[in-house]
Amino acid sequence: MISPEKLFEQIALCGFTHVVWVPDSATGLLERYLESAPQCHLVRVCREGECFPIAAGLTIGGRKPLVIIQCTGLFECGDALRNVLHDLRLPVFFIVGCRSYEAWKANPNHADTARLYTEPILKAWDIPYVIVENDADAGKIVQAHGEMLATNKTRAVLLAEP
Amino acid sequence: MELADFLSALKEVRKDQVVVTTMASAREWPNYSDGPLDLNYAPSSMGQGPALGLGIALARPERQVIVLNGDGCTLMNLGVLVTIAGLRPVNLVLFNLENGVYEVTGGQKLAGSGRVGFTGVARSAGWERVYEIKEAEELRRELPGILRGNGPVFINVKLVARPGPSPKPRRPMPETLRMLSEALAAGSAGRQAR
């Protein structure tokens, strides 16, 4: 799993103005970094579906939001995600903590199905993504963000979690 | 009160605020105003109008954002009331248009219709400025004061249910959003220049 220090370093390089998030046990380690980032506002929401319309509003208003959620939240926010990306046609850069990603690598019959459906869901919504398994992959985040800016199309980052 | 009474009263006092409409209000508001600062949220993700308005409000704190949300929409995403109360955007005004039914799908009753108290929900979620308006005359009297001062403000407006069709956007959504973005950027630049 990528370290919170390295993850925050990459987030800071992208120049986001707002991070809209629902933490999980892995991305939650970012909290102290995000709270102390003077140039980036932390937007705490109750449920993942709120993240995408809030990010849309921020984008309409000229800001640069980042959404951080867990894959279970990705499942929850399907209609909001569809609407923002495909009806409103607003690109959103988002990071998804993929729960049980590492457990599935170790055991293909792992009981938690969260990882199993994450990539198919992203493909179904027509969202290109990169997978970040550890610190060595960190550069993929800035690269994916650059692709979003260049193409004006949404990009997602999947973080491998335990 | 009829929806038309509410929209007419809002039209009279509205200045340079962004107005985000949903469902029946998105269908009817363009008959009152259809400029760059009007975001008729259709096609929508039901329940996400307040979140969309919140994002604009956070992005542009110098600009008041008014969201018109149906009661069915509010019930579909009650958590956003807590999110907004937690963030305390001073420039956000949320009208909950309560008629007890899903108006654009034929008038089916909402879960808890007639039993849920929206002002109580808002207060418990942490909103400090909370109002309930039942009559058109009361609305016209109170509305200017409601829009003055710091938000977030929650106003529950009791309306007569009039089932009707879904909203039909008058222009493609990307064009609507481009117009709004440009108007917000231009307004911000103008305010900075002053």
Side-chain angles (χ1 to χ4, degrees):
Chain A
M1 193 177 85
I2 189 171
S3 65
E5 295 83 2
K6 185 60 84 174
L7 179 55
F8 179 72
E9 175 190 291
Q10 297 298 306
I11 290 171
L13 285 172
C14 294
F16 297 112
T17 59
H18 295 75
V19 174
V20 189
W21 84 329
V22 179
D24 68 2
S25 53
T27 59
L29 299 173
L30 284 171
E31 186 174 42
R32 68 187 178 95
Y33 299 96
L34 296 174
E35 283 183 326
S36 62
Q39 74 282 24
C40 187
H41 302 280
L42 182 56
V43 180
R44 302 173 192 273
V45 307
C46 293
R47 198 161 169 82
E48 289 85 351
E50 298 169 37
C51 291
F52 288 90
I54 291 173
L58 286 163
T59 302
I60 292 165
R63 307 305 175 191
K64 292 180 63 179
L66 164 68
V67 169
I68 303 178
I69 56 178
Q70 194 188 54
C71 58
T72 51
L74 175 70
F75 306 149
E76 188 278 326
C77 68
D79 189 55
L81 180 65
R82 175 204 59 77
N83 174 251
V84 169
L85 271 52
H86 299 301
D87 291 342
L88 277 55
R89 297 186 202 168
L90 291 173
V92 178
F93 194 75
F94 65 103
I95 293 175
V96 179
C98 191
R99 193 178 78 189
S100 75
Y101 186 98
E102 293 173 354
W104 270 88
K105 286 187 81 170
N107 174 12
N109 296 311
H110 194 270
D112 182 359
T113 60
R115 186 255 165 107
L116 197 58
Y117 295 101
T118 302
E119 291 180 67
I121 289 284
L122 290 172
K123 289 172 183 167
W125 292 125
D126 198 20
I127 300 167
Y129 61 93
V130 296
I131 298 173
V132 172
E133 296 199 36
N134 49 45
D135 284 6
D137 289 338
K140 291 181 181 178
I141 296 173
V142 171
Q143 185 180 351
H145 182 250
E147 289 172 5
M148 189 191 85
L149 296 178
T151 62
N152 206 32
K153 302 285 185 189
T154 291
R155 289 291 187 279
V157 174
L158 277 191
L159 296 184
E161 293 186 352
Chain B
M1 188 188 335
E2 298 284 346
L3 176 61
D5 295 327
F6 169 73
L7 297 178
S8 174
L10 181 62
K11 160 79 173 167
E12 284 180 20
V13 299
R14 187 266 187 101
K15 293 174 182 166
D16 64 352
Q17 297 97 333
V18 174
V19 175
V20 179
T21 61
T22 63
M23 300 296 175
S25 66
R27 184 187 66 224
E28 299 298 331
W29 179 247
N31 297 324
Y32 297 82
S33 179
D34 191 25
L37 295 173
D38 298 302
L39 174 47
N40 297 300
Y41 182 33
S44 71
S45 174
M46 187 173 175
Q48 301 296 357
L52 183 62
L54 171 62
I56 298 170
L58 293 174
R60 294 291 174 184
E62 76 282 3
R63 175 83 66 169
Q64 193 173 52
V65 178
I66 297 171
V67 179
L68 313 185
N69 208 37
D71 50 356
C73 293
T74 298
L75 290 175
M76 195 163 276
N77 191 19
L78 272 176
V80 78
L81 297 182
V82 176
T83 298
I84 293 170
L87 292 163
R88 303 175 64 83
V90 297
N91 56 332
L92 185 66
V93 178
L94 173 58
F95 287 94
N96 183 63
L97 307 181
E98 182 184 4
N99 60 20
V101 301
Y102 294 113
E103 207 171 60
V104 304
T105 59
Q108 303 87 353
K109 279 187 180 176
L110 303 182
S113 180
R115 297 186 64 82
V116 61
F118 286 98
T119 55
V121 170
R123 286 195 185 93
S124 295
W127 294 61
E128 294 175 5
R129 290 188 66 200
V130 177
Y131 302 85
E132 180 154 281
I133 304 284
K134 295 178 181 174
E135 304 295 337
E137 187 179 327
E138 179 188 14
L139 176 69
R140 288 181 187 278
R141 188 175 64 245
E142 299 294 335
L143 201 47
I146 287 171
L147 296 181
R148 278 196 300 269
N150 285 345
V153 191
F154 181 96
I155 311 99
N156 192 55
V157 182
K158 297 270 194 177
L159 296 180
V160 176
R162 301 283 184 205
S166 297
K168 296 285 185 289
R170 294 191 176 184
R171 61 183 68 83
M173 183 56 87
E175 185 181 342
T176 296
L177 300 182
R178 179 187 54 76
M179 290 166 55
L180 175 55
S181 287
E182 289 175 0
L184 290 172
S188 176
R191 284 164 198 231
Q192 285 171 3
R194 284 197 295 274

